[in-house]
Amino acid sequence: MAGIFAIVTTEILPIGLLTPIGATFRISDGTAGLMMTLPGAVAAVAAPAVTVAVRRADRRAVLCGLMLALALADLLNALAPGYWAVLTARIVLGVVIGAFWSLGAGLAPRLVGAERQARANSVIFSAVPLGSVLGVPAGVLLGHLAGWRAAFAAMALLSLAVAAALAVTLPALPPQAPTRLAVLRGLLRTGPVRAGLVVTLLLVTAHFGTYTYVTPFLEDVTHAGPDAVSVLLLVYGAAGVAGNFAGGLWAGRRRGALTLAIGLLAASVLLLPVLGASRPGAVLLLVTWGLAYGAVPVCVQAWFVRAAPHAPEAATVVFTSSFQATISLGALVGGAVVDASSPSAVLVVGGCVALLAAVVAQVGSRSVSATPGKATA
């Protein structure tokens, strides 16, 4: 959980610091959005490539090495003499994201007993909203107090501490069923996995195409200053923590859990340009958005694993690769829309895409639940 927290915070920290980073290097909001585009694109390739390359290595050693690489990327970000150095650091981050998620996100069955796996998965995935509720607001606050470079320097220190903690606390984790390219290709031929890929494409494009530029929206439309933006992101993240644990509870019990989460996300994003000009409206919709998206990662992860119960690590690789590739696409599309129009237009487009994702999720969930031996999605 701590490792994923450090990764998620580093990944989305530029969202809260988009304006000062752009001012430092004299670039537009859309160009600054490349900080979100690059890691996702690299992670999509790194997830299968690194997992196959280290298929015989002890997972504890690999995870520790990845955290050291994250510390180096954060340090390069903090010392970057130009925007090219920032993007280089984000490429390294992309490798860490793809590999760490693929190897670490599905480790719960190897660390706890069967009766505690659902709770352990929720704890691991709670790192995603915690990155929003703790990591990003703390980083934004530090960035405003001491400059955005100080926020990345702090993340470098945290990453080193997490590497040490992993080395001390994790047991030896030799690979159980090495992931090979043939296994990954086989998964891509199954209907439930393909349906999950379509849902991921639409949903993550909608979310990151909008959330990447929520800070400019809050500044321009809600007229929130830096301190207020930090509070609003904190509120969003707190709701995400609650949504994560609710999603972990519902994912295995209700077929429509993912559809409901996506529907709430779509509604909140579409209504934000209408009601988000007022502080109360923005708070209400950010809470709804946070609750909805907090449930998404654990629900989508459950979808892929249940679609391929015979190859859980390979299923996690497919989940990670598709998720991260779509983060890249969402940030890229959002950047193009915001440069051509406004942050409000991005929210409208993203909300429509999310509605389409909800429809596909409802239809596709039947193929997962209908597969013999698999739980419902």
Side-chain angles (χ1 to χ4, degrees), residues 241-268:
V241 174
N244 169 76
F245 284 97
L249 178 65
W250 294 338
R253 300 181 181 181
R254 299 179 182 273
R255 189 177 68 181
L258 180 58
T259 304
L260 175 61
I262 300 173
L264 288 174
L265 187 153
S268 58

Side-chain angles (χ1 to χ4, degrees), residues 46-142:
V50 176
T51 303
V52 171
V54 301
R55 61 185 179 275
R56 300 189 185 281
D58 185 284
R59 274 36 186 152
R60 177 177 62 180
V62 176
L63 294 179
C64 290
L66 290 169
M67 292 310 300
L68 293 176
L70 179 62
L72 289 176
D74 285 323
L75 184 61
L76 177 57
N77 239 322
L79 301 176
Y83 192 50
W84 63 269
V86 172
L87 295 182
T88 301
R90 303 297 284 180
I91 290 173
V92 177
L93 169 65
V95 174
V96 174
I97 292 170
F100 197 101
W101 266 105
S102 295
L103 297 174
L107 282 179
R110 301 188 62 182
L111 299 176
V112 299
E115 73 282 357
R116 301 173 63 194
Q117 286 179 20
R119 184 181 301 177
N121 276 325
S122 292
V123 170
I124 290 172
F125 277 90
S126 70
V128 178
L130 283 174
S132 298
V133 71
L134 294 179
V136 172
V140 171
L141 178 60
L142 181 58

Side-chain angles (χ1 to χ4, degrees), residues 6 9 11 14 27 35 39 102 109 131 198 200 209 213 218 240 248 279 302 350:
T9 300
E11 182 179 12
I27 54 178
M35 288 183 287
S102 295
V198 174
T200 302
Y213 303 98
L218 294 173
R279 231 26 107 71

Side-chain angles (χ1 to χ4, degrees), residues 215-245:
T215 295
F217 174 86
L218 294 173
E219 291 173 344
D220 297 343
V221 178
T222 312
H223 303 295
D227 293 339
V229 168
S230 297
V231 172
L232 290 170
L233 293 178
L234 180 65
V235 168
Y236 167 89
V241 174
N244 169 76
F245 284 97

Side-chain angles (χ1 to χ4, degrees), residues 282-323:
V283 170
L284 175 63
L285 292 172
L286 285 173
V287 167
T288 305
W289 190 351
L291 283 170
Y293 187 71
V296 162
V298 67
C299 288
V300 177
Q301 164 82 351
W303 179 307
F304 281 105
V305 171
R306 289 164 183 168
H310 58 288
E313 185 173 273
T316 304
V317 170
V318 173
F319 161 70
T320 301
S321 185
S322 61
F323 206 92

Side-chain angles (χ1 to χ4, degrees), residues 260-277:
L260 175 61
I262 300 173
L264 288 174
L265 187 153
S268 58
V269 170
L270 283 171
L271 289 173
L272 200 54
V274 180
L275 304 177

